[in-house]
Amino acid sequence: MTYYLILVLLHIAYETKQITGSYMDAPRIHFAGKFRADVNTRNNRACNFDPNNPLSEHDEWNFQGTSEWEFVDTVVTSVVDGNGEEITDSSLLGAKIFSNENRPFAKLVDIDVDFQVSSLYGLELGLKYRGENLFVGKWSTSVIVYDMWPKMKCTSEITDPSGRMGAQSTTKLTDVVWSQSETIKALKATTERQGASGELAVSISIDLYRVDVFLFGRVSGTIGAAMTDEPLNVGGERRMEPVDPGALNFPSGHPCYGLNVDDEKPWTYGTPFKVDSTQNVLIADLSNTLPRQQNGDPLDLGTLYFGVLVDGVVKPFGESIPYTDLDGALWRQSGVIRRSIGADVVSDLENSKLVVFIDSDLTTGGNTYPVKKTFSSQRSMEMVSLVLQEIEYFVRPKDYYMDRLEYSSGSERHPVKSTSDFTLLVTQFGRPVNNTHVTMIDSYNEALQSVLPLGAVSPVESTKTTDSQGHVTFTFAVNQAIPEARRYVNNPCADYLQAQEARKHGKLTPLRRAFDSKLFLKGSLKSEFTVPVDGQLYNFYYCVGDECTLPDDGGFFLYKALISILAFSTVSYEAPYTWEDHVQPIFEQAHHLHYIMRTVLDLSNFTEVTLPHNVELLKKVFRKPITDPNYMPQTRDLSPTKRLMILAWLDDPIYNRVEKKHVNDAPVCDTSSLPAKMELPDICHFRPPRCLLKNIPFKSDPETQDSPVCDTSSLPAKMELPDICHFRPPRCLLKNIPFKSDPETQDSYFNKVVNYAKLKADARHPPRPLFALGFDKEDVKTTNIFKSYGYIPLCNISTLQEQLQNAVLLEFYTLPLYLTSMYTIVENCNTEAYQAIRDIVIQEMLHLVQSANILISIGGQVIIDDPNYVPSYPSEDGLPGGVLPGLEISLERFNLRHVYDTMMAIETPILTYVARPEREFMLYTIGQFYKEISVCIHYLGNDIFDASTAERQVRWPWTEPGSVGTVHVVTDVASAKHGIAQIVEQGEGEGPLIPNQVATGQYGHFYRFEEIVCQRRLVQKDDNSYAYDGAPIDYNPSGVYAMRDNPSSDTIVPGTNCHREAKAFHRTYRSFLRVLQEAFDGQPDKIHKSVELMEALQVHAKRCIWTPYGPGNTCGPVWDYEWE
């Protein structure tokens, strides 16, 4: 039943006479749950568009907003079959409605700062049943708040306007991907032959959005089949609008009793509906129609009835509308009501208006409402109070209501879009209106803004006539140049100026107290103000027939201003493009408006923007289509001309026409907003790095406090080591962070007691089947090394695949560890350490991909998205594959002790030149682990490789040459060993005494971490030795967020801000795992999507770490695999 129902739902065929294949038709499914809207409020005020505006960055209630939207805990609540009957025992009940499962979250973006009506971009919506995706489709960009009104009535406790609002939006799901069962395929083919579009119509209603309840709101919705001609934004074939019912007398105990009810109008809102004359039914969507109480329950207005308005009288029909029954079918079905009606009612509704009314007998006050189920006769207008009445003409755009245009002078070097066509659908009583005049007028409102110049955007023809299908198409054109700034009649920061008086009397809240009176806007409130807002927004209102007047509200609600055009400022650029003249003004404004971008990079800083990986990142996001969730800028308000200029500049990012670099723009580490005490303990229990192991003692000069010197006098002469060894201890003595070096109390990993005998005994078993392979020579056929050490070689295709799978997991284990530490660094603080860790993370990702490619090349399957394989923290088991057994790994904020004890331990070099007694210990390093793989590959030879797997292998998504290394496509022994050699080299350097990475020119990971601990650059001396005597590396312990150690789901209280942020991070992490798995399962291009999700992880990790949780601590990212 489930599969059949879904298929019929998705592919139902419609009669051609219908105007729309509405989501209200049967069969359909209904759902309810929550949504999360993490709106960015920095761009809600025009005065914030000036980067020099001295207003506090923290002055908006959600200045750190990501603009993300998602469905949360949303499930199917009702299933309706093809006959319109509810299937109360459907197995689909409780099935999950999900969004953006394997991609970054969708973005919710306002049209314009002066027209804050939000649209959804980049949303994917799907239905999951028993782990299987029954369908997934792309949400056609639509206005999420198309029908918005103050839905919550008679409550003074919720002062936030957003919490009182309700809204409805309708759109289509396109490019739907269906389940692949044979039953679905057969039915799908049948419905396609019948001409169905294969698309879905979706309507959602939202309310109870509370900024003081963690950015969540309530959502309900309906999914049905769509026709190709389905309009966006407004569903249904017909529509009722609210009517003022006059004085309402509420009984005592009612939430509205004793209040001035005039302040609460309107009492109802727009209602889409349709009349099915083939089945004699009325279907209406009341999901956004009726008012709500503070708790979200329907507000009792009295008993409501449907009727038909005929010749000035109301003809009631049917029973009352059961809208106060919370457990009834109406709310299980998301407010959609299906009412059987007689043939006479159907006949009346062909040319008469549907109404909803309250009978006058029911508004007389008293303690209760009398209830009357049916009427025996029609009611005069004096006997009823109308609350809803059908509108004369129902007009809506066929497609998206908004476009972005530029003025064309004809001399541009690239194509400029300066015109746009909008087709409207005009109906009356559900039928197309033919040969009727429709007029477009500018809904300019002087109270909002001063449009410059007036009339720069207009329809080519302001009045046109509908065709036989009820369609009329208007062409809009930008016919004048648009100024580069927007001029306001009233000061857009007037509320801040007025707050200055309150500040003098101590009446200003702490949030507003941060505001400084030195505004960039000078003069009195009656002056004209200029703000660098790009472009100008033009809204147009429709009129049908000969009468044409603008609504009183100036067209704020979109059903009255249904065409919006953003005309970008007219600009012209001459190459060469420079940071100083062209890019900086754009990027500085974006940096000012989008605080969350600072978690990825500082757009206002030339040096940071022009780092190779950041240039690559910016190129990717600026090339994305506007519908992509990662499109930049999020606000979608950057003109194509500016976008092309930025992309050209990124190809050659010069500072100005004279110099390529700018050395005076180093970001400032600002910790003023952090808790005063976030420093490390006075005594850090650091142990010096091993100077070629413990048989090489350190010497220290107490008088000069210089770095201890590596004493090689006890080594055999044949070692020929330089006098000064580069394996030096951290320079803690020079940085007032003394370390303990008492061998009796050392507790670092290297002195941990490890049961090597047990590891030897287990070596022939998982997780390290190739343990101890290749101690000396690679040619294992001619060596007796296995025999002398008591091992039998287990090198075969199966054991090699197993150890390569462990290699993938080993590399993955480092990602949460390094990333978490990196995330905790305060923006613009400890910048060199941050950059070093970021570079290392990218290379660890490269190592993971390289190991996966080798595994794929020999016929193995990579497993990454599995709870039995991904890491959990804290751990005392070391790394996968028996690497560094017993190493304690925990997730901690960035500090030198953590870098030394854990990160340096993980990246420890093999040091194969050490005297033989220490060799056994070194068998447990990453380098030796990969040595075993390399030897086994050499032993098995080229026959194990499958050349046909080359197309399935992953290519590296970053293209900057030589910056992080190369992912090799593996086809033979040589290419596999090249890949392995790069992994080892990048971790520990080219060789025991050469810390460089040959390919990239950087030092190995071990030495880069040790640079952080020593707080000095490692440099090569004249005698070819190495020493940490280079430029200083700043370490500011206060420039680290106080994240609690090892954040996990079981330590976070549900319903807290920490819970909300950590959940968003966790969902992104799981998406990352799924996409990475898909990349290794034959879709290698998915690696690009995985990189995008890694960037999204950083955004959500920062949101976690910014969120206080517990005394003196902050929340942190949760890397648990499961989180119910």
Side-chain angles (χ1 to χ4, degrees), residues 507-555:
K507 297 178 181 180
L508 200 62
T509 64
L511 184 67
R512 295 301 187 202
R513 224 169 258 127
F515 170 69
D516 192 296
S517 62
K518 297 178 181 178
L519 283 170
F520 70 99
L521 299 169
K522 307 296 182 182
S524 69
L525 296 183
K526 294 182 180 180
S527 302
E528 198 170 81
F529 299 89
T530 301
V531 183
V533 178
D534 191 353
Q536 198 68 57
L537 189 75
Y538 294 81
N539 292 322
F540 294 89
Y541 171 69
Y542 71 90
C543 305
V544 180
D546 298 330
E547 232 179 276
C548 200
T549 57
L550 191 66
D552 293 339
D553 61 14

Side-chain angles (χ1 to χ4, degrees), residues 928-944:
Q928 181 60 35
F929 175 86
Y930 278 106
K931 176 79 168 177
E932 295 161 3
I933 294 174
S934 181
V935 170
C936 187
I937 289 173
H938 180 89
Y939 176 67
L940 295 175
N942 287 328
D943 291 344
I944 64 173

Side-chain angles (χ1 to χ4, degrees), residues 184-431:
I184 288 179
K185 289 180 180 179
L187 289 175
K188 181 173 183 287
T190 301
T191 54
E192 285 176 344
R193 286 198 298 270
Q194 294 173 335
S197 71
E199 296 176 331
L200 299 177
V202 184
S203 180
I204 62 171
S205 292
I206 58 176
D207 58 16
L208 296 183
Y209 180 68
R210 298 282 298 277
V211 300
D212 57 339
V213 189
F214 318 123
L215 307 179
F216 286 102
R218 181 173 64 175
V219 63
S220 64
T222 303
I223 302 175
M227 292 186 67
T228 305
D229 213 26
E230 184 87 17
L232 296 178
N233 300 305
V234 179
E237 293 180 359
R238 302 166 70 169
R239 181 180 176 89
M240 291 184 287
E241 289 293 340
V243 178
D244 185 357
L248 295 176
N249 297 316
F250 296 102
S252 60
H254 191 282
C256 300
Y257 178 76
L259 298 180
N260 182 0
V261 293
D262 288 339
D263 294 339
E264 302 292 340
K265 296 176 181 177
W267 288 102
T268 58
Y269 206 64
T271 305
F273 71 96
K274 68 179 301 176
V275 178
D276 187 342
S277 59
T278 63
Q279 298 186 42
N280 287 357
V281 294
L282 165 72
I283 309 169
D285 184 354
L286 305 176
S287 60
N288 192 47
T289 297
L290 302 170
R292 299 283 177 159
Q293 303 178 53
Q294 179 177 331
N295 64 0
D297 291 345
L299 184 72
D300 196 345
L301 294 177
T303 308
L304 301 179
Y305 297 86
F306 286 114
V308 186
L309 184 59
V310 181
D311 297 329
V313 297
V314 174
K315 297 175 64 175
F317 61 87
E319 296 183 347
S320 62
I321 301 171
Y323 70 98
T324 57
D325 182 5
L326 299 180
D327 299 322
L330 177 65
W331 299 120
R332 288 198 304 273
Q333 296 179 25
S334 309
V336 176
I337 186 171
R338 184 179 187 269
R339 179 67 56 86
S340 295
I341 56 180
D344 58 330
V345 177
V346 173
S347 178
D348 286 339
L349 286 172
E350 286 184 357
N351 295 289
S352 300
K353 296 179 179 180
L354 180 70
V355 297
V356 172
F357 68 93
I358 307 172
D359 188 75
S360 60
D361 295 341
L362 308 179
T363 58
T364 57
N367 294 324
T368 61
Y369 290 120
V371 176
K372 188 178 289 184
K373 290 293 185 183
T374 60
F375 290 93
S376 59
S377 62
Q378 64 189 28
R379 314 291 284 178
S380 68
M381 295 298 289
E382 291 76 19
M383 300 173 65
V384 300
S385 295
L386 295 184
V387 293
L388 290 166
Q389 178 175 309
E390 185 175 356
I391 56 177
E392 187 74 21
Y393 295 101
F394 189 14
V395 184
R396 61 273 202 203
K398 277 185 75 273
D399 297 304
Y400 193 44
Y401 74 99
M402 191 244 183
D403 207 351
R404 297 163 176 83
L405 304 177
E406 291 184 275
Y407 172 68
S408 175
S409 64
S411 60
E412 293 82 12
R413 299 179 182 178
H414 60 87
V416 171
K417 183 179 181 181
S418 58
T419 64
S420 187
D421 292 338
F422 291 87
T423 298
L424 308 181
L425 174 61
V426 184
T427 60
Q428 185 180 39
F429 303 121
R431 297 184 297 276

